[in-house]
Amino acid sequence: MSLMTLLELGWFGVIVVLAFLTLHGHITALLALIAFLGALGIHYFTNKGDPFIVNLAPLGAGFRMFVAEFVLILSLLTGNLLLAILAGTFIPFEYFMEG
């Protein structure tokens, strides 16, 4: 496992833990639906290959990107700017690091 892969997984872990700790109890079903649809749309438009292929293998790059997009939208909807910055900077990093 390369250093960049470890960095990506660590950064992803921080985003997920912070999202759970800071967004827990502040999310309604409507916010989650909006974030899910928004993340699905972002994932569709930023897919490097065929946009109709959504590979969400557990802990794969597509899954990490989708979760980061979901957390980004949720954090923006709830006003958590620190989490939005962490997730927002992770997305281009992950996009350009994966082959």
Side-chain angles (χ1 to χ4, degrees), residues 4 11 19 24 26 33 37-38 42 46 52 69 74 89-90 93:
M4 284 311 234
W11 196 345
H24 182 72
H26 298 284
L33 178 64
L37 293 175
I42 292 171
T46 60
F52 293 105
E69 293 158 353
L74 269 181
T89 55
F90 177 78
F93 175 77

Side-chain angles (χ1 to χ4, degrees), residues 47-83:
N47 198 349
K48 290 182 181 179
D50 184 358
F52 293 105
I53 296 174
V54 179
N55 184 7
L56 297 179
L59 290 183
F63 177 78
R64 292 190 309 257
M65 286 285 284
F66 183 77
V67 170
E69 293 158 353
F70 181 76
V71 168
L72 172 67
I73 295 171
L74 269 181
S75 59
L76 289 174
L77 289 172
T78 59
N80 189 338
L81 294 181
L82 174 64
L83 190 57

